[in-house]
Amino acid sequence: EDTIYQRFCFSRNDMIGQGLLNTTDMLNIVGWEPVVQSGNEAFVHHYVLMASTQPNCNNTGADEDFDFSEMAYVWAPGESGLAFPDFLGVPLFGDSGFQAFEMEIHYNNPTLQQGVIDSSGVRMYWTTQPREQQVGIMSVGDPQVGLFGQTVGTGITKHEFECPSSCSSLVNQEVTVLREYLHMHEVGLRITNEQVRNGEVIRSGNVEYWEFDQNGNAAVQQDEFTVKPGDSFRTTCYYKDTDGSRTFGLASSQEMCMAFLYYYPRQVIELGVGMNLGWFCGVDIGFPQCDASYQQTTLESKDELNREYAVENTECVAEGDRIDPSDVNSGAFASPPPFQLMAIVGAVGTFFL
């Protein structure tokens, strides 16, 4: 097969048996580091680490999917390790922390090469020192690929996913987004994630020129921003498929449209009867408050992509002081705030999943 999604589960006992501290106290994960086996970079497309507040891995079918319903970490090529600011962490053990993880790795093998054996994974950095606040991940757009099997459309097309205000209204407090990642696949041209408040777009995270081999999981270069109850998100992906055969799906040769937002403080959606969900929004997820609406439009030309910079055949007029080119990074924007693996002061251990 050219595309395989392989799941690996790590229960609480599995992790303790491999050397993680055996404690009933809350630990905090303070950093993640992707570890891709040397020589296998071309085959490891991405991986997602889902978390459960249950300690075991022995559920099956729908129960297992429900248990591991909150995203703890996501990685794709182009991203290095990350470390949270010293007041933030991901909850581990204790009464309300994660007790088990399920890692799903997407292997991409379009040439059907035989005999490839992989031991890639993720290294987590943890501490016994409590962090002031906990980090969560919110996903919007079509994170569960609800459009699976639907064609992208012939020519240049625009696909909009709107996460309603009712979803953020389930959270009764303002949250701060540390980093926003955008993701699509091979025939993507542009992707945006707009934040809407009281009917007006107040912020937009954009990747104006998408290049799948370079972007992978693209971090938007911007400052932190806040999300208030009642805000909505409109995630828009633009594609160009010359023959109209491309469909939405899980393979690299198929398409996706989604955004991942690392934020704090972590929120949990309570469904009652002891069942909770991570904070996410998507097409046909079966949860009305967070069901995203969807609209597809065929465009006449690339002019309708509405790219916000690097427009062809135009001249920019600078205002104010002239900038010395030697003071500007080679990219279109300055580098984002530090959010990468660094020395972890006070960390007492690392663990490899």
Side-chain angles (χ1 to χ4, degrees), residues 1-158:
E1 295 181 64
D2 65 346
T3 294
I4 297 175
Y5 278 75
Q6 186 66 51
R7 293 180 176 182
F8 305 89
C9 190
F10 302 87
S11 70
R12 174 187 170 91
N13 286 339
D14 289 337
M15 292 187 286
I16 292 172
Q18 294 182 44
L20 190 60
L21 184 65
N22 185 1
T23 179
T24 57
D25 294 334
M26 173 80 78
L27 306 177
N28 267 149
I29 299 167
V30 295
W32 301 101
E33 181 183 9
V35 181
V36 178
Q37 182 174 331
S38 178
N40 286 0
E41 293 84 358
F43 303 106
V44 183
H45 173 273
H46 76 266
Y47 44 76
V48 176
L49 195 66
M50 303 299 292
S52 173
T53 55
Q54 302 299 316
N56 300 316
C57 294
N58 58 357
N59 293 318
T60 59
D63 289 338
E64 182 177 8
D65 291 337
F66 183 83
D67 283 346
F68 293 90
S69 62
E70 187 168 353
M71 188 178 295
Y73 176 64
V74 58
W75 172 87
E79 276 295 304
S80 58
L82 61 87
F84 300 116
D86 59 10
F87 65 98
L88 296 176
V90 175
L92 179 64
F93 294 171
D95 293 332
S96 58
F98 298 137
Q99 308 293 324
F101 295 101
E102 184 179 76
M103 182 167 62
E104 181 182 78
I105 301 182
H106 173 192
Y107 291 107
N108 184 44
N109 187 8
T111 61
L112 302 181
Q113 185 171 332
Q114 301 294 312
V116 178
I117 299 175
D118 184 65
S119 59
S120 299
V122 59
R123 182 175 290 114
M124 68 181 185
Y125 292 76
W126 55 273
T127 180
T128 56
Q129 297 182 8
R131 293 295 172 101
E132 180 182 342
Q133 299 201 60
Q134 307 299 323
V135 175
I137 299 178
M138 180 187 185
S139 52
V140 296
D142 188 20
Q144 294 193 329
V145 197
L147 296 186
F148 186 92
Q150 177 177 315
T151 57
V152 171
T154 304
I156 302 175
T157 55
K158 173 183 178 181

Side-chain angles (χ1 to χ4, degrees), residues 138-141 162-171 229-233 269-272 277-293:
M138 180 187 185
S139 52
V140 296
E162 185 149 0
C163 179
S165 60
S166 55
C167 192
S168 64
S169 294
L170 293 170
V171 177
D231 287 357
S232 61
F233 288 91
I269 297 174
E270 297 182 358
L271 302 180
L277 282 177
W279 194 11
F280 72 101
C281 190
V283 176
D284 295 331
I285 63 173
F287 188 54
Q289 292 95 322
C290 294
D291 271 335
S293 62

Side-chain angles (χ1 to χ4, degrees), residues 211-230:
E211 174 53 55
F212 178 63
D213 291 332
Q214 294 183 7
N215 292 126
N217 204 34
V220 178
Q221 308 221 7
Q222 63 187 348
D223 293 330
E224 296 180 0
F225 60 90
T226 58
V227 178
K228 295 183 177 182

